[in-house]
Amino acid sequence: MKIAIVGPGRMGSEVAALAREESHEVVTTLGRDDAISRDTLAEADVAVEFTLPEAAPDVLSALARAGIDAVSGTTGWSDHLPDVRRVVKEAGTGLIHAPNFSIGVAVFRRWLRTVASDLDGLEEYDVALHEVHHTRKVDAPSGTARLLAETILAETRRKDRWALTPGDGDGGPLDAGVLRITAERVGWVPGTHEIVLDGPDDQIVLRHEARSRRGFARGALSAAEWIRGRRGVFTLDDMLDERLTSRDQGGEG
Ligand SMILES: NC(=O)c1ccc[n+]([C@@H]2O[C@H](COP(=O)([O-])OP(=O)(O)OC[C@H]3O[C@@H](n4cnc5c(N)ncnc54)[C@H](OP(=O)(O)O)[C@@H]3O)[C@@H](O)[C@H]2O)c1
């Protein structure tokens, strides 16, 4: 694949390094002062974008108008998704976006749907979410924690909203309808997410622990291969659904 990297930061660099290791070609790297156009992207098959929340909607619209399929890993721009979707549709290009490109997290969410749908029949267990990230992270809860929380809320009637809480001892009565999220910032942790089911006699913990940024880069590269030649806006779930379904069917389709 001939790849354009858009956003030469930590994730852009990780994707570029892995792409070269896997014998892809990084044909251009575009930063905030570079134009996005058919000319600057002429050699690329696909663009991989990891920029900033405030930049992503314009960058993704420009990539679509330049006629290039794209992978977007930037978090925090989902309010602008309808506008970006319209531009992608008009342009007839493909876009796959996810706040977490780790295949492991996507699998974790598939399993979480099953667990969360059982909660309505397991009144004795409460559920909560805990996430840990490095101290340079600016947003809390993480985009992934929000995604996991929304996954739970969609499957159970016992929780109708989530709230970030400072942690144990923050005071105030607990509203049983609230899914509590705690966020911890320490050291260099690339991303750990835990779903805790706590009952009177035991505790079940589902835990995903990223070891490095590599898993995000690997998922983004898989997504880059997958999105080429598709039209419309997709998420990592669409890609994984297709991958696991075609495996169920014996690898065809
Ligand atoms: N989906 C996932 O799996 C995943 C994983 C990790 C992180 N993320 C998200 O990915 C995003 C980037 O993370 P990061 O750690 O790589 O951040 P970062 O190190 O700050 O990199 C962002 C890069 O984007 C550049 N940039 C800003 N505006 C731009 C524009 N208009 N056009 C092109 N480049 C532009 C920045 O340039 P300057 O240095 O000039 O500002 C910087 O090089 C964040 O939203 C983060 O939450 C997602």
Side-chain angles (χ1 to χ4, degrees), residues 159-172:
K159 304 283 177 188
D160 53 24
R161 61 201 186 282
W162 60 259
L164 181 68
T165 69
D168 292 336
D170 53 315

PDB file of all heavy atoms in Angstrom, residues 159-172:
ATOM      1  N   LYS A 159     -28.951   0.876  33.702  1.00  0.00           N
ATOM      2  CA  LYS A 159     -28.181   2.133  33.695  1.00  0.00           C
ATOM      3  C   LYS A 159     -28.686   2.984  32.529  1.00  0.00           C
ATOM      4  O   LYS A 159     -28.859   2.456  31.411  1.00  0.00           O
ATOM      5  CB  LYS A 159     -26.690   1.850  33.498  1.00  0.00           C
ATOM      6  CG  LYS A 159     -26.081   0.887  34.525  1.00  0.00           C
ATOM      7  CD  LYS A 159     -25.835   1.560  35.864  1.00  0.00           C
ATOM      8  CE  LYS A 159     -25.295   0.566  36.877  1.00  0.00           C
ATOM      9  NZ  LYS A 159     -25.216   1.148  38.236  1.00  0.00           N
ATOM     10  N   ASP A 160     -28.923   4.278  32.804  1.00  0.00           N
ATOM     11  CA  ASP A 160     -29.411   5.103  31.700  1.00  0.00           C
ATOM     12  C   ASP A 160     -28.455   6.235  31.332  1.00  0.00           C
ATOM     13  O   ASP A 160     -28.694   6.983  30.394  1.00  0.00           O
ATOM     14  CB  ASP A 160     -30.812   5.648  31.995  1.00  0.00           C
ATOM     15  CG  ASP A 160     -30.893   6.355  33.331  1.00  0.00           C
ATOM     16  OD1 ASP A 160     -29.849   6.827  33.818  1.00  0.00           O
ATOM     17  OD2 ASP A 160     -32.010   6.427  33.886  1.00  0.00           O
ATOM     18  N   ARG A 161     -27.386   6.411  32.095  1.00  0.00           N
ATOM     19  CA  ARG A 161     -26.385   7.418  31.739  1.00  0.00           C
ATOM     20  C   ARG A 161     -25.088   7.086  32.447  1.00  0.00           C
ATOM     21  O   ARG A 161     -25.099   6.311  33.416  1.00  0.00           O
ATOM     22  CB  ARG A 161     -26.844   8.824  32.104  1.00  0.00           C
ATOM     23  CG  ARG A 161     -27.097   9.050  33.580  1.00  0.00           C
ATOM     24  CD  ARG A 161     -28.020  10.242  33.799  1.00  0.00           C
ATOM     25  NE  ARG A 161     -28.161  10.561  35.206  1.00  0.00           N
ATOM     26  CZ  ARG A 161     -28.943   9.885  36.049  1.00  0.00           C
ATOM     27  NH1 ARG A 161     -29.616   8.837  35.638  1.00  0.00           N
ATOM     28  NH2 ARG A 161     -29.023  10.239  37.313  1.00  0.00           N
ATOM     29  N   TRP A 162     -23.992   7.698  31.980  1.00  0.00           N
ATOM     30  CA  TRP A 162     -22.731   7.484  32.676  1.00  0.00           C
ATOM     31  C   TRP A 162     -22.268   8.802  33.288  1.00  0.00           C
ATOM     32  O   TRP A 162     -22.687   9.879  32.841  1.00  0.00           O
ATOM     33  CB  TRP A 162     -21.665   6.883  31.759  1.00  0.00           C
ATOM     34  CG  TRP A 162     -21.284   7.688  30.542  1.00  0.00           C
ATOM     35  CD1 TRP A 162     -21.715   7.477  29.269  1.00  0.00           C
ATOM     36  CD2 TRP A 162     -20.380   8.797  30.487  1.00  0.00           C
ATOM     37  NE1 TRP A 162     -21.155   8.399  28.414  1.00  0.00           N
ATOM     38  CE2 TRP A 162     -20.327   9.211  29.129  1.00  0.00           C
ATOM     39  CE3 TRP A 162     -19.607   9.479  31.422  1.00  0.00           C
ATOM     40  CZ2 TRP A 162     -19.532  10.293  28.712  1.00  0.00           C
ATOM     41  CZ3 TRP A 162     -18.817  10.548  31.002  1.00  0.00           C
ATOM     42  CH2 TRP A 162     -18.781  10.943  29.672  1.00  0.00           C
ATOM     43  N   ALA A 163     -21.426   8.718  34.312  1.00  0.00           N
ATOM     44  CA  ALA A 163     -20.861   9.925  34.919  1.00  0.00           C
ATOM     45  C   ALA A 163     -19.439   9.633  35.362  1.00  0.00           C
ATOM     46  O   ALA A 163     -19.156   8.553  35.908  1.00  0.00           O
ATOM     47  CB  ALA A 163     -21.698  10.365  36.112  1.00  0.00           C
ATOM     48  N   LEU A 164     -18.579  10.603  35.106  1.00  0.00           N
ATOM     49  CA  LEU A 164     -17.200  10.496  35.587  1.00  0.00           C
ATOM     50  C   LEU A 164     -17.192  10.875  37.053  1.00  0.00           C
ATOM     51  O   LEU A 164     -17.664  11.945  37.430  1.00  0.00           O
ATOM     52  CB  LEU A 164     -16.302  11.445  34.791  1.00  0.00           C
ATOM     53  CG  LEU A 164     -14.825  11.427  35.166  1.00  0.00           C
ATOM     54  CD1 LEU A 164     -14.188  10.100  34.783  1.00  0.00           C
ATOM     55  CD2 LEU A 164     -14.098  12.574  34.491  1.00  0.00           C
ATOM     56  N   THR A 165     -16.695  10.008  37.904  1.00  0.00           N
ATOM     57  CA  THR A 165     -16.656  10.323  39.334  1.00  0.00           C
ATOM     58  C   THR A 165     -15.205  10.339  39.786  1.00  0.00           C
ATOM     59  O   THR A 165     -14.373   9.609  39.237  1.00  0.00           O
ATOM     60  CB  THR A 165     -17.435   9.276  40.160  1.00  0.00           C
ATOM     61  OG1 THR A 165     -16.722   8.048  40.103  1.00  0.00           O
ATOM     62  CG2 THR A 165     -18.833   9.072  39.639  1.00  0.00           C
ATOM     63  N   PRO A 166     -14.904  11.153  40.782  1.00  0.00           N
ATOM     64  CA  PRO A 166     -13.509  11.242  41.230  1.00  0.00           C
ATOM     65  C   PRO A 166     -13.000   9.952  41.855  1.00  0.00           C
ATOM     66  O   PRO A 166     -11.812   9.804  42.064  1.00  0.00           O
ATOM     67  CB  PRO A 166     -13.535  12.356  42.277  1.00  0.00           C
ATOM     68  CG  PRO A 166     -14.826  13.061  42.094  1.00  0.00           C
ATOM     69  CD  PRO A 166     -15.770  12.082  41.498  1.00  0.00           C
ATOM     70  N   GLY A 167     -13.902   9.042  42.181  1.00  0.00           N
ATOM     71  CA  GLY A 167     -13.438   7.788  42.772  1.00  0.00           C
ATOM     72  C   GLY A 167     -14.095   7.564  44.107  1.00  0.00           C
ATOM     73  O   GLY A 167     -14.994   8.298  44.508  1.00  0.00           O
ATOM     74  N   ASP A 168     -13.664   6.540  44.804  1.00  0.00           N
ATOM     75  CA  ASP A 168     -14.272   6.226  46.084  1.00  0.00           C
ATOM     76  C   ASP A 168     -14.085   7.390  47.050  1.00  0.00           C
ATOM     77  O   ASP A 168     -13.065   8.058  47.040  1.00  0.00           O
ATOM     78  CB  ASP A 168     -13.645   4.959  46.669  1.00  0.00           C
ATOM     79  CG  ASP A 168     -14.017   3.751  45.833  1.00  0.00           C
ATOM     80  OD1 ASP A 168     -15.042   3.806  45.144  1.00  0.00           O
ATOM     81  OD2 ASP A 168     -13.270   2.776  45.869  1.00  0.00           O
ATOM     82  N   GLY A 169     -15.094   7.615  47.886  1.00  0.00           N
ATOM     83  CA  GLY A 169     -14.959   8.648  48.900  1.00  0.00           C
ATOM     84  C   GLY A 169     -15.350  10.022  48.407  1.00  0.00           C
ATOM     85  O   GLY A 169     -15.148  11.014  49.101  1.00  0.00           O
ATOM     86  N   ASP A 170     -15.910  10.141  47.167  1.00  0.00           N
ATOM     87  CA  ASP A 170     -16.267  11.469  46.675  1.00  0.00           C
ATOM     88  C   ASP A 170     -17.571  11.969  47.281  1.00  0.00           C
ATOM     89  O   ASP A 170     -17.970  13.098  47.050  1.00  0.00           O
ATOM     90  CB  ASP A 170     -16.347  11.483  45.143  1.00  0.00           C
ATOM     91  CG  ASP A 170     -17.267  10.407  44.604  1.00  0.00           C
ATOM     92  OD1 ASP A 170     -17.162   9.280  45.082  1.00  0.00           O
ATOM     93  OD2 ASP A 170     -18.071  10.708  43.713  1.00  0.00           O
ATOM     94  N   GLY A 171     -18.237  11.122  48.042  1.00  0.00           N
ATOM     95  CA  GLY A 171     -19.416  11.561  48.778  1.00  0.00           C
ATOM     96  C   GLY A 171     -20.670  11.563  47.937  1.00  0.00           C
ATOM     97  O   GLY A 171     -20.644  11.375  46.739  1.00  0.00           O
ATOM     98  N   GLY A 172     -21.796  11.803  48.608  1.00  0.00           N
ATOM     99  CA  GLY A 172     -23.072  11.864  47.915  1.00  0.00           C
ATOM    100  C   GLY A 172     -23.660  10.482  47.713  1.00  0.00           C
ATOM    101  O   GLY A 172     -22.910   9.521  47.524  1.00  0.00           O
TER     102      GLY A 172
END
